[in-house]
Amino acid sequence: MAISEAQFLKDHDVHPTAQRLAVMRAISASPHATADHIFEIAGSDLGVISRQSVYDALSLLVASGLVRRIQPSGSPALYEDRVNDNHHHIVCRLCGTVRDVDCSVGLRPCLDADDTLGFEIDEAEVAFWGRCPSCLASGRVASALDPSTDRRQAKRSSAVPQYHPDQNR
Amino acid sequence: MAISEAQFLKDHDVHPTAQRLAVMRAISASPHATADHIFEIAGSDLGVISRQSVYDALSLLVASGLVRRIQPSGSPALYEDRVNDNHHHIVCRLCGTVRDVDCSVGLRPCLDADDTLGFEIDEAEVAFWGRCPSCLASGRVASALDPSTDRRQAKRSSAVPQYHPDQNR
DNA sequence: TCAAGTATTTTGACTCATTCAAAATATTGA
DNA sequence: TCAATATTTTGAATGAGTCAAAATACTTGA
Ligand SMILES: [Mn+2]
Ligand SMILES: [Mn+2]
Ligand SMILES: [Zn+2]
Ligand SMILES: [Zn+2]
């Protein structure tokens, strides 16, 4: 309900404007959404909002600890309201799907690097990469999110001898 | 020496062109360099090289497993030639310095997520965030790399009453 | 040795996600 | 109500790449 959401922001010293509330709601409603997606949702919620307001709200919410920003390689930043529980993410290389992975006992050790080299560590960010169940099932095979895929292939017009045959195997 | 470097690329089915060798050398000489930095180094090495060739060489080298690309949040991609040893990185939030962290026994467990949600995991990427020794020493305090820092501050011209006093504490 | 077929590099335009700066509005407290 | 402050909007600009096509270079079979 509206009142409690506004109160929630206030409790964290964030003045609850219409735009900020809409952004917050959009994030809660669809975790791991991009700024663009949030802009769409908040827009259809409020009627109209500027992209800049979305970015402003996002950085304010992140700065005040109400929202977490994650930035998987090759994807725009994603936002979620699950904060302070140090959970991790698993990303599908084929379709980009992101899922939460709880920080299990087995994973906890991640938090202390063996030799911290004199750094003062405040966060250990773990991203697992692989293929999601549905991509596995459908046997999909490569995509823009797979960093090991070279996207600039030579045009191979005929089957005649190649310059360097097994270069792109 | 040149010959052995060319041979090294050949052994991995990468035709050793001048540009690719220069890029490879630049990476070896300065680990965790950006594409732009590599462009500079390779350029001063070869005399001239196009930015596109640098990107082409980089993606070919990454695709063929000779080079690893890492993408810390808020930074352009970084390249290094330490591959296949699954080491991790520690990044300074203040100055952006990146250091290698060996994957110690204590860290290994990171590699198997407790519940993989049906994903087939092929990589666990771990990034530690914090403050490096020299930033700690110099008492530096915030920067562009710190995601918890809001970069769009209100202009606070006078010391008179604030709209929402402790919002940006 | 040449020519055709490939591979590679260069050039320049373009995209995307995000940020910057300034103008326009809204809100506050005196 | 007014001035100060906060917030939102607007529109331009940026950085890090990618795309497409033209220019060059290399290889191989005739
Ligand atoms: Mn999450
Ligand atoms: Mn490294
Ligand atoms: Zn998938
Ligand atoms: Zn530092």
Side-chain angles (χ1 to χ4, degrees):
Chain A
M1 50 228 68
I3 291 199
S4 91
E5 259 204 320
Q7 190 56 51
F8 178 66
L9 294 209
K10 275 185 206 162
D11 290 347
H12 293 267
D13 302 316
V14 174
H15 189 204
T17 65
Q19 288 84 347
R20 290 168 186 172
L21 287 169
V23 165
M24 192 73 227
R25 277 194 300 271
I27 294 173
S28 304
S30 47
H32 308 136
T34 61
D36 191 64
H37 187 210
I38 291 164
F39 168 70
E40 299 295 344
I41 314 231
S44 67
D45 177 350
L46 287 186
V48 56
I49 188 176
S50 74
R51 211 170 275 277
Q52 185 61 49
S53 294
V54 170
Y55 279 107
D56 283 353
L58 288 173
S59 65
L60 182 59
L61 291 169
V62 168
S64 52
L66 298 178
V67 164
R68 180 175 169 191
R69 171 193 288 135
I70 63 177
Q71 286 167 249
S73 305
S75 146
L78 307 177
Y79 298 85
E80 65 182 339
D81 63 357
R82 245 190 96 175
V83 293
N84 297 326
D85 69 344
N86 188 248
H87 71 276
H88 301 317
H89 294 96
I90 181 168
V91 185
C92 177
R93 289 196 194 276
L94 305 185
C95 68
T97 294
V98 175
R99 291 268 173 280
D100 290 329
V101 177
D102 288 318
C103 187
S104 70
V105 177
L107 292 171
R108 278 277 170 215
C110 289
L111 289 171
D112 18 70
D114 198 43
D115 178 357
T116 65
L117 305 163
F119 276 66
E120 173 205 78
I121 295 178
D122 64 62
E123 185 187 353
E125 188 186 349
V126 182
F128 296 96
W129 291 87
R131 294 188 288 163
C132 77
S134 89
C135 283
L136 282 173
S138 72
R140 210 171 313 175
V141 110
S143 91
L145 279 171
D146 188 344
S148 70
T149 303
D150 188 0
R151 257 162 315 295
R152 197 186 191 196
Q153 310 283 10
K155 268 172 262 161
R156 204 151 299 146
S157 43
S158 68
V160 275
Q162 301 294 111
Y163 193 8
H164 296 295
D166 35 14
Q167 191 155 309
N168 296 306
R169 121 217 57 116
Chain B
M1 53 229 59
I3 291 202
S4 90
E5 262 208 315
Q7 190 56 50
F8 178 66
L9 295 207
K10 275 184 204 161
D11 291 347
H12 293 267
D13 302 316
V14 174
H15 189 207
T17 66
Q19 289 80 348
R20 289 168 187 171
L21 288 170
V23 165
M24 191 73 226
R25 277 193 301 271
I27 293 173
S28 305
S30 47
H32 309 135
T34 61
D36 191 64
H37 187 209
I38 291 164
F39 168 70
E40 299 295 345
I41 312 232
S44 67
D45 177 351
L46 287 186
V48 57
I49 188 176
S50 72
R51 210 168 275 277
Q52 184 62 49
S53 293
V54 170
Y55 280 108
D56 283 352
L58 288 173
S59 64
L60 183 59
L61 292 169
V62 169
S64 53
L66 297 178
V67 164
R68 179 174 171 194
R69 170 194 287 133
I70 63 177
Q71 286 167 247
S73 304
S75 146
L78 307 178
Y79 298 86
E80 65 182 340
D81 64 356
R82 242 189 97 174
V83 293
N84 297 327
D85 69 344
N86 188 250
H87 70 276
H88 302 317
H89 294 96
I90 181 168
V91 186
C92 176
R93 290 195 194 277
L94 305 186
C95 69
T97 295
V98 175
R99 291 271 173 276
D100 290 329
V101 177
D102 289 317
C103 188
S104 70
V105 177
L107 292 170
R108 279 275 172 216
C110 290
L111 288 171
D112 16 73
D114 198 44
D115 178 358
T116 66
L117 304 164
F119 276 68
E120 174 204 80
I121 295 179
D122 63 62
E123 184 187 354
E125 191 186 348
V126 182
F128 296 96
W129 291 87
R131 294 187 288 164
C132 77
S134 90
C135 282
L136 281 174
S138 71
R140 210 172 312 175
V141 109
S143 92
L145 279 171
D146 188 345
S148 69
T149 304
D150 188 359
R151 255 162 319 293
R152 199 188 190 194
Q153 311 281 14
K155 268 171 264 163
R156 206 150 297 146
S157 43
S158 67
V160 274
Q162 302 294 112
Y163 192 7
H164 296 297
D166 35 14
Q167 189 155 307
N168 294 306
R169 122 221 55 123

